[in-house]
């Protein structure tokens, strides 16, 4: 579904991603792992149009998405969450999720200005999509009216997940969804991702929590210093000597 | 009914109450000095509603609104004076021309952000002001200025007197508020608030930040152009000084005294700023100084606007989107 080939990103002399190739097959969970600074977030940012690669290509359903702005890629059906929260300020939880469902709306600016009845229908549609996504992400409905920014960190991460799901994506990019969560929250997240996976959603998961990765993913791609050092099923990469070395080396 | 729909209905109810208040004031007040002050307040409110959308909601601090006010004023005045277009049509053209010029400069201008955008819009405002004052063949420049011999009218109804102009400006204020409320309570309004807090995340949910910015900039300019056109028909004789930097600052002060989070603040701010000179004599001389002090004080103590801050103090509600 998503194919990355020879992808390279240079930041002023630093080679963050170096000639990386891998594919994310449809309906599967692919994990992208590696030590800190390996270039994982940079890959997600290039796949979501936030960064332009220095070289190489990213295709989605056979169509190149390099050079397309982020909103165009989002409309093709790629949603993501962020390693550092990118919460919308001054919005209730429901409104944040409704903003996630932005692309469900098709009205033009004129019907909005004049408040035509089609807008009311559209708002209802968007609100339903948002409520469903929040329920899916396990946000209790008692919180829908609260200012999203005032929620505890774990809940804000769920709201961000709901925002991504509200767009009804075909491919979901998750950047360390378990980071900063306590064990209970991590278990909930794991259950939630299993449900999404069972529903047939394609996921590219960046994560440091190995239990989560091994349990959830169908394929694993291991990165170090911008390069892929191993790829395969969770079992295969677990026993790969290069992977073991990269992780042990990183912990020193 | 969903809570968001309810909040929209409540705003419409507020709009009805505001309309009734304007009618009440119009029936009671007949003193032309007071009516004139009220008209200026309404004209400034219309511009400020637009600036609230641009600055308050989308976070784009524009210091060039006076340009669109001037474009609106000269478009309306010239079309009626030189081409004998019906005043209402000229007014609609004023909205369109201000909007289109904003659309044209919006794309390059709005690629800038923060203080660079403010500087660039300031420069645009200054260039527009210089153009207004130098194109004397059309605008009359600073001296003698523009003389509009036609009064405002709709069909056979002549509406040039102060009392009628009060009704006209009231109607346009209510209409502008309605349009602004429709925008805010839609995916468009959410997109503006979203791009203000996180551009990457907005793009990530499919919002084209560039086109939303230029659209809201154009809509606000249209509102400002409308108030410029009304100004032209009310004054009938005016010169380019009316469209200088002071006006842009004044509109910003109106928004900040009102609210950055709700278009209702524009009414309060406009009333405050228009009544201020009647309270302080010789204000003209140190107006910018007072405005500067107000901006600094509000930014420091009530960053969401004075009216908003006071309201929150009174009802002690938690900081939550008031839209
Ligand atoms: N915008 C940027 N400008 C310059 N260097 C950057 C930028 N973004 C990332 N880098 C660098 O690129 C490298 C890869 O960063 P990236 O964030 O992709 O790593 P990561 O694998 O996501 O790490 P982590 O597990 O810590 O999140 C790092 O050395 C980082 O410092
Ligand atoms: Mg990262």
């Amino acid at each position: 579904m998503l194919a990355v080939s020879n992808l390279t990103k240079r930041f002023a002399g630093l080679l963050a991603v170096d000639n990386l190739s891998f594919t994310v097959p449809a309906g599967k969970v692919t994990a992208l792992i590696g030590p800190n600074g390996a270039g994982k977030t940079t890959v997600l940012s290039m796949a979501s149009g936030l960064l332009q690669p220095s070289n190489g290509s990213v295709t989605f359903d056979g169509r190149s998405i390099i050079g397309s702005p982020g909103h165009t890629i989002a409309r093709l059906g790629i949603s993501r969450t962020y390693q550092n929260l990118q919460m919308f300020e001054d919005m209730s939880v429901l409104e944040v999720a409704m903003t996630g469902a932005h692309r469900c709306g098709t009205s033009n600016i004129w019907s909005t200005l004049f408040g035509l009845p089609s807008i009311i229908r559209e708002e209802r549609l968007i609100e339903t999509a948002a409520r469903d996504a929040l329920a899916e992400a396990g946000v209790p409905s008692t919180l829908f009216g609260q200012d999203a920014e005032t929620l505890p960190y774990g809940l804000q991460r769920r709201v961000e997940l709901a925002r991504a799901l509200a767009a009804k994506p075909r491919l979901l990019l998750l950047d360390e969804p378990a980071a900063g969560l306590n064990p209970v929250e991590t278990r909930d997240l794991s259950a939630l991702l299993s449900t999404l996976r069972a529903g047939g959603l394609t996921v590219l998961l960046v994560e440091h929590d190995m239990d989560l990765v091994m349990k959830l993913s169908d394929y694993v791609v291991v990165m170090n210093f911008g390069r892929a050092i191993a790829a395969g099923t969770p079992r295969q990469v677990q026993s790969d000597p290069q992977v073991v070395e990269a992780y042990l080396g990183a912990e020193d | 009914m969903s809570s968001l729909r309810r909040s929209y209905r409540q705003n419409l109810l507020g709009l009805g109450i505001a309309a009734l208040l304007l009618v009440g004031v119009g029936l009671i007040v007949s003193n032309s000095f007071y009516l004139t002050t009220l008209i200026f307040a309404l004209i400034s409110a219309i511009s400020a509603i637009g600036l609230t959308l641009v600055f308050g909601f989308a976070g784009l601090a524009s210091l060039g609104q006076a340009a669109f006010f001037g474009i609106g004023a000269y478009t309306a005045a010239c079309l009626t004076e030189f081409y004998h277009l019906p005043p209402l049509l000229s007014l609609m053209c004023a909205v369109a021309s201000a909007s289109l010029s904003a659309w044209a400069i919006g794309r390059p201008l709005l690629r800038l952000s923060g203080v660079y955008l403010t500087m660039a819009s300031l420069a645009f405002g200054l260039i527009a002001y210089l153009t207004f004052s130098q194109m004397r063949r059309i605008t009359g420049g600073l001296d003698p200025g523009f003389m509009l011999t036609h009064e405002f009218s709709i069909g056979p109804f002549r509406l040039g007197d102060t009392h009628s102009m009060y009704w006209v400006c009231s109607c346009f204020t209510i209409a502008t508020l309605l349009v602004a409320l429709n925008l805010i309570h839609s995916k468009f309004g959410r997109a503006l608030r979203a791009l203000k807090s996180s551009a990457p995340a907005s793009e990530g949910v499919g919002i084209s930040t560039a086109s939303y910015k230029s659209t809201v900039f154009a809509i606000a300019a249209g509102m400002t152009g409308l108030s410029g056109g009304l100004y032209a028909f009310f004054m009938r004789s005016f010169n380019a000084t009316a469209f200088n930097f002071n006006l842009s600052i004044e509109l910003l002060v109106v928004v900040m005294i009102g609210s950055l989070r709700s278009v209702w603040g524009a009414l309060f701010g406009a009333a405050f700023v228009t009544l201020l000179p009647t309270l302080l004599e010789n204000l003209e001389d140190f107006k910018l100084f007072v405005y500067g002090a107000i901006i600094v004080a509000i930014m420091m103590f009530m960053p969401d606007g004075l009216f908003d801050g006071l309201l929150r103090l009174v009802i002690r509600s938690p900081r939550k989107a008031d839209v």
Side-chain angles (χ1 to χ4, degrees), chain B residues 43-51 64-77 87-102 132 152 172 176 216-233 238 243 247 251:
Chain B
I43 288 176
S44 147
I46 293 174
S47 286
I49 292 166
L51 189 56
Q65 297 304 104
F68 305 119
F69 194 91
I71 290 171
Y74 286 120
T75 304
L88 192 58
L89 185 59
S90 301
L91 203 56
M92 292 303 109
C93 294
V95 174
S97 66
S99 228
L100 287 175
S101 13
F132 296 148
F152 192 74
F172 281 113
T176 307
V216 73
F217 194 57
I219 290 170
M223 292 173 174
T224 310
L226 172 67
S227 55
L230 289 169
Y231 175 84
F233 279 112
F238 54 90
F243 316 120
L247 176 62
L251 289 174

Side-chain angles (χ1 to χ4, degrees), chain A residues 36-37 39-42 83 175-176 206 208:
Chain A
N36 289 111
K40 307 175 297 286
T41 299
T42 307
Q83 186 169 357
D175 200 349
E176 304 200 15
V206 168
H208 279 300

Side-chain angles (χ1 to χ4, degrees), chain A residues 9-91:
Chain A
K9 179 69 188 179
R10 225 172 266 113
F11 288 117
L14 177 99
L15 206 51
V17 176
D18 182 8
N19 213 18
L20 180 75
S21 304
F22 67 92
T23 57
V24 178
K28 306 277 187 214
V29 175
T30 304
L32 184 60
I33 64 171
N36 289 111
K40 307 175 297 286
T41 299
T42 307
V43 172
L44 292 196
S45 296
M46 288 189 281
S48 56
L50 217 56
L51 287 176
Q52 293 304 320
S54 315
N55 214 337
S57 76
V58 180
T59 59
F60 181 56
D61 278 344
R63 183 190 149 161
S64 171
I65 55 173
I66 296 304
S68 302
H71 62 268
T72 310
I73 295 175
R75 282 185 210 147
L76 290 176
I78 300 183
S79 281
R80 72 172 284 191
T81 63
Y82 302 84
Q83 186 169 357
N84 302 313
L85 284 178
Q86 292 282 333
M87 191 50 81
F88 295 141
E89 292 162 19
D90 260 354
M91 277 197 198

Side-chain angles (χ1 to χ4, degrees), chain A residues 92-116:
Chain A
S92 69
V93 167
L94 182 61
E95 285 177 310
V96 171
M98 285 174 76
T99 312
H102 186 84
R103 78 183 183 107
C104 302
T106 51
S107 62
N108 63 24
I109 187 65
W110 299 105
S111 42
T112 309
L113 284 173
F114 298 115
L116 299 187

Side-chain angles (χ1 to χ4, degrees), chain B residues 147-232:
Chain B
M147 296 289 173
L148 180 54
T149 53
H150 298 259
E151 62 179 357
F152 192 74
S153 62
I154 297 178
F157 303 106
R158 301 158 72 89
L159 302 168
D161 62 292
T162 310
H163 217 141
S164 303
M165 281 308 285
Y166 170 81
W167 294 119
V168 170
C169 291
S170 297
C171 288
F172 281 113
T173 306
I174 296 293
T176 307
L177 272 170
L178 179 62
V179 165
L181 289 172
N182 284 341
L183 279 181
I184 292 166
H185 294 266
S186 72
K187 75 176 207 256
F188 187 92
R190 281 191 299 274
L192 294 184
R193 287 191 284 150
L195 68 87
K196 179 184 180 181
S197 48
S198 171
S202 306
E203 287 277 330
V205 296
I207 295 167
S208 165
T209 50
S211 72
Y212 272 86
K213 281 186 198 174
S214 41
T215 305
V216 73
F217 194 57
I219 290 170
M223 292 173 174
T224 310
L226 172 67
S227 55
L230 289 169
Y231 175 84

